[in-house]
Amino acid sequence: MYLFEQYTFYKLAHSLVEKDDFEILHINESGQEIWLEKYENRTSHVVRLLHRGFDWKNYLKGDIRTAFQKAKAMRRFFLGKHIEIHNVYISTNSPVDDWYILKKPMQLNEKNPMKMKVYYLSEAEKDVELSRLQDAIGSSNVTISAEESELDMEEKVEYFRSQLDINLKNKKNEAESVFSNGKPFLTYFLLGINIIIFLLLELDGSSQSTETLIKFGAKYNPAIIEKGEWWRIISSMFLHIGFLHLFMNMFAVYYLGTAVERIYGSIRFIVVYLLAGIGGGLASFAFTTNISAGASGALFGLFGALLFFGLIHKKIFFQTMGRSMLLIIGINLLFGFMVPQVDNGAHLGGLVTGFIASAILHLPGLKKMSMQLLALILYVVIILGLIIFGIQHNLNSPSYQLMKVEQLAAVQDYEKIVEITTTGLRNPDDLADELLFQRSYAYVNLNEVDLAIDDLEDAIQTNDEFAEAHFNLAVLYYNKGQEKKAQERIKKAYQIKPNGDNIKKLYDQIID
């Protein structure tokens, strides 16, 4: 009977793999225990086949506990959120005592518990238990008959065993091959380039100096729109603001870059990196008017590349990096929404365009021209959309107008400052006080003092804690001989900012 048990064991395993699309997770060294999985509707149906008998119920219960422990250890290999284990024993005789209570479905007392059903394919109940198993997992019917000769069964046992071994070996080879399409040479090159440029920034002034960042090619929207310096979208990818920013991004480049370059190969890796960086940079241009720099868009593009890999090789993805990768992406995006200084536009733009860029190139050895062409069209549409929307959004943004004012103040073009701040005030937001303050400064230099006073009065109506506006009003009123109003404004300015040198000096001058 031992031969027939082996025949039943291996034929059932072979049938589940070949006919019912189960995947082999593990075969033990003796070949007497096989774990299989099939993922459907967010549920992993896990079949554990064991060629072994138990004389007593307590021994069987002990092995069921062992099966639960093994399943918990293998949990990261299961795709489904819900796990149903079908624990199948194959032996000539079932336990001699009342073991049937163990057929009742059982589960661990924990969150998202694994559920288990037990089946015992003994000589007396083989057909009934096999039918119960097949109904539970939706398997095609397989007939296992003892009428075949011993020679035929021996040959088929050897055949089934060899096919299962080949299947498992091919699966391991496939998993290894997807991570061996390239060596991370370009990842190390990117690390070196970013570090060298950071050192140049520091030597030229400071990586945290706005002037130095603009000089080296940071994303600066006025220069992009007014001067056509679109190259800043690319150059800003290689600039970092402070050592911590550099360290965090380079750590991510190393961690993500080595994985993506090994999966996609060096050429695909650098193309995805650049296309995602451009997408992230343009998203930042479209939605964020502040000066910005950093590899964040490109880095999130590498996240996108790994997500595309997960779409194609779902099982390998979740068995290696999937859940932790999704958690990291979620944390970073949540952090970006919670912290105003983080350029979340670049993050989201890089993530989306990195995913699409990966679809354009696809994985090595795989082609799907219709999908790749559609992805290319989608990428172009997104890029053009970000450019068109970004230009319009910036031109109508008060913060963009303020950035232009800073440029014009450096060349003392006060009439243009009045024009630009007036345009910005047509769409007032929380920067209205700043626009009024800048226009008042321009009016002073154009000898339009009354207009300057009007703007400053409006500015403090908008923001009564604007110390500089109170100070400038005090100066203008004092120069016009309106000492009472000047005293009122300088008192307020001193109350808000008592340590301001100019404020304290004027306060001491006009307050008795």
Side-chain angles (χ1 to χ4, degrees):
M1 292 303 296
Y2 181 81
L3 177 60
F4 181 64
E5 291 172 19
Q6 273 197 318
Y7 173 70
T8 302
F9 176 79
Y10 283 111
K11 183 173 183 178
L12 179 56
H14 183 263
S15 176
L16 291 174
V17 171
E18 296 298 323
K19 295 181 180 180
D20 297 313
D21 298 322
F22 275 79
E23 291 193 25
I24 304 172
L25 296 178
H26 174 70
I27 301 176
N28 73 348
E29 291 184 5
S30 67
Q32 303 302 302
E33 182 178 4
I34 300 176
W35 288 77
L36 310 170
E37 180 195 23
K38 184 177 182 179
Y39 175 72
E40 278 185 329
N41 300 322
R42 302 181 66 189
T43 299
S44 284
H45 292 279
V46 179
V47 175
R48 181 225 189 189
L49 299 173
L50 183 66
H51 180 197
R52 181 183 172 186
F54 296 90
D55 295 331
W56 302 96
K57 179 179 71 175
N58 284 340
Y59 294 158
L60 180 58
K61 285 175 66 176
D63 187 75
I64 290 171
R65 285 193 294 270
T66 299
F68 265 125
Q69 292 170 357
K70 289 182 178 180
K72 288 181 70 174
M74 297 172 66
R75 187 159 196 155
R76 71 184 182 93
F77 294 105
F78 303 148
L79 288 178
K81 181 179 180 181
H82 306 290
I83 300 169
E84 294 184 4
I85 303 169
H86 303 273
N87 196 7
V88 184
Y89 297 93
I90 298 171
S91 177
T92 302
N93 299 307
S94 56
V96 297
D97 52 353
D98 185 15
W99 70 275
Y100 293 99
I101 193 173
L102 299 180
K103 286 187 179 184
K104 183 180 178 180
M106 58 191 78
Q107 66 182 43
L108 296 177
N109 186 20
E110 58 184 26
K111 186 179 180 181
N112 293 327
M114 291 185 287
K115 300 177 181 179
M116 180 183 288
K117 293 179 181 178
V118 173
Y119 312 82
Y120 209 105
L121 276 63
S122 64
E123 181 180 4
E125 298 183 89
K126 173 177 64 66
D127 293 336
V128 174
E129 290 292 273
L130 183 59
S131 178
R132 190 166 71 91
L133 170 65
Q134 291 172 339
D135 288 343
I137 62 177
S139 169
S140 57
N141 292 327
V142 55
T143 302
I144 301 175
S145 172
E147 295 179 359
E148 297 194 44
S149 67
E150 289 191 2
L151 181 60
D152 286 341
M153 282 195 287
E154 285 179 357
E155 290 178 352
K156 289 183 178 180
V157 164
E158 191 60 35
Y159 171 75
F160 293 147
R161 179 188 292 170
S162 65
Q163 289 299 302
L164 292 169
D165 287 339
I166 291 170
N167 185 294
L168 182 58
K169 185 177 181 181
N170 288 341
K171 179 186 168 186
K172 290 181 178 178
N173 289 339
E174 179 189 6
E176 292 173 359
S177 67
V178 299
F179 293 104
S180 59
N181 290 304
K183 295 183 179 180
F185 297 126
L186 290 180
T187 298
Y188 300 141
F189 176 76
L190 287 173
L191 288 170
I193 288 294
N194 279 278
I195 292 170
I196 290 171
I197 292 176
F198 178 80
L199 293 175
L200 292 175
L201 280 170
E202 291 293 333
L203 291 172
D204 196 77
S206 170
S207 63
Q208 301 184 59
S209 163
T210 299
E211 182 180 346
T212 304
L213 287 167
I214 292 174
K215 176 183 175 181
F216 274 76
K219 190 221 71 175
Y220 182 52
N221 291 8
I224 293 173
I225 294 176
E226 306 294 332
K227 299 180 181 180
E229 295 179 355
W230 292 96
W231 50 267
R232 289 180 177 273
I233 298 298
I234 297 176
S235 60
S236 62
M237 295 163 52
F238 300 93
L239 306 178
H240 290 86
I241 305 171
F243 177 76
L244 181 61
H245 188 209
L246 174 75
F247 175 79
M248 295 300 292
N249 274 5
M250 291 306 98
F251 180 79
V253 165
Y254 176 79
Y255 175 70
L256 296 171
T258 52
V260 173
E261 194 167 357
R262 290 183 190 280
I263 293 169
Y264 284 83
S266 296
I267 300 301
R268 283 180 172 83
F269 159 73
I270 199 64
V271 172
V272 169
Y273 187 90
L274 292 174
L275 291 180
I278 291 169
L282 286 173
S284 175
F285 165 75
F287 298 104
T288 308
T289 55
N290 297 335
I291 295 171
S292 63
S296 298
L299 289 174
F300 269 79
L302 298 183
F303 278 126
L306 292 174
L307 289 178
F308 181 77
F309 164 72
L311 185 68
I312 305 301
H313 293 289
K314 188 172 184 178
K315 189 146 187 108
I316 297 173
F317 176 73
F318 278 101
Q319 288 179 350
T320 54
M321 66 186 77
R323 289 181 176 85
S324 60
M325 185 66 62
L326 293 175
L327 180 63
I328 292 170
I329 294 173
I331 290 173
N332 275 276
L333 290 177
L334 181 63
F335 181 75
F337 284 116
M338 293 175 62
V339 180
Q341 293 83 358
V342 175
D343 193 346
N344 224 33
H347 291 181
L348 287 170
L351 181 67
V352 172
T353 52
F355 182 90
I356 295 171
S358 303
I360 294 171
L361 300 170
H362 219 298
L363 293 166
L366 298 177
K367 287 185 180 180
K368 196 171 183 181
M369 294 306 296
S370 58
M371 184 196 73
Q372 291 174 265
L373 179 60
L374 181 62
L376 176 60
I377 294 170
L378 181 59
Y379 181 85
V380 172
V381 168
I382 289 174
I383 294 301
L384 292 176
L386 288 172
I387 291 172
I388 294 169
F389 173 80
I391 292 173
Q392 293 302 316
H393 178 255
N394 276 278
L395 292 177
N396 294 319
S397 168
S399 58
Y400 176 78
Q401 309 302 336
L402 278 175
M403 294 176 73
K404 289 180 65 177
V405 164
E406 292 174 1
Q407 282 185 317
L408 295 168
V411 296
Q412 300 181 350
D413 190 347
Y414 300 114
E415 290 182 355
K416 189 67 174 177
I417 290 174
V418 170
E419 178 185 335
I420 288 173
T421 50
T422 301
T423 300
L425 287 165
R426 292 173 187 163
N427 299 291
D429 63 2
D430 57 354
L431 295 175
D433 57 337
E434 290 284 353
L435 290 168
L436 288 164
F437 182 81
Q438 293 294 343
R439 189 169 70 173
S440 73
Y441 179 75
Y443 278 142
V444 168
N445 285 279
L446 293 170
N447 295 316
E448 299 282 358
V449 176
D450 290 338
L451 291 176
I453 289 174
D454 289 342
D455 276 353
L456 289 170
E457 289 286 1
D458 288 342
I460 62 175
Q461 286 293 322
T462 303
N463 177 12
D464 192 45
E465 298 299 310
F466 198 163
E468 288 76 10
H470 287 287
F471 171 76
N472 283 8
L473 267 174
V475 172
L476 294 178
Y477 281 135
Y478 187 74
N479 290 339
K480 290 187 70 174
Q482 299 179 11
E483 291 190 10
K484 187 175 180 180
K485 288 186 176 180
Q487 289 173 352
E488 182 182 347
R489 291 300 109 219
I490 195 60
K491 285 180 181 178
K492 183 65 175 178
Y494 185 75
Q495 178 186 344
I496 298 168
K497 191 180 285 187
N499 295 323
D501 291 340
N502 290 333
I503 292 173
K504 188 175 186 305
K505 183 178 179 180
L506 184 61
Y507 180 85
D508 291 339
Q509 181 179 341
I510 68 176
I511 299 297
D512 295 332

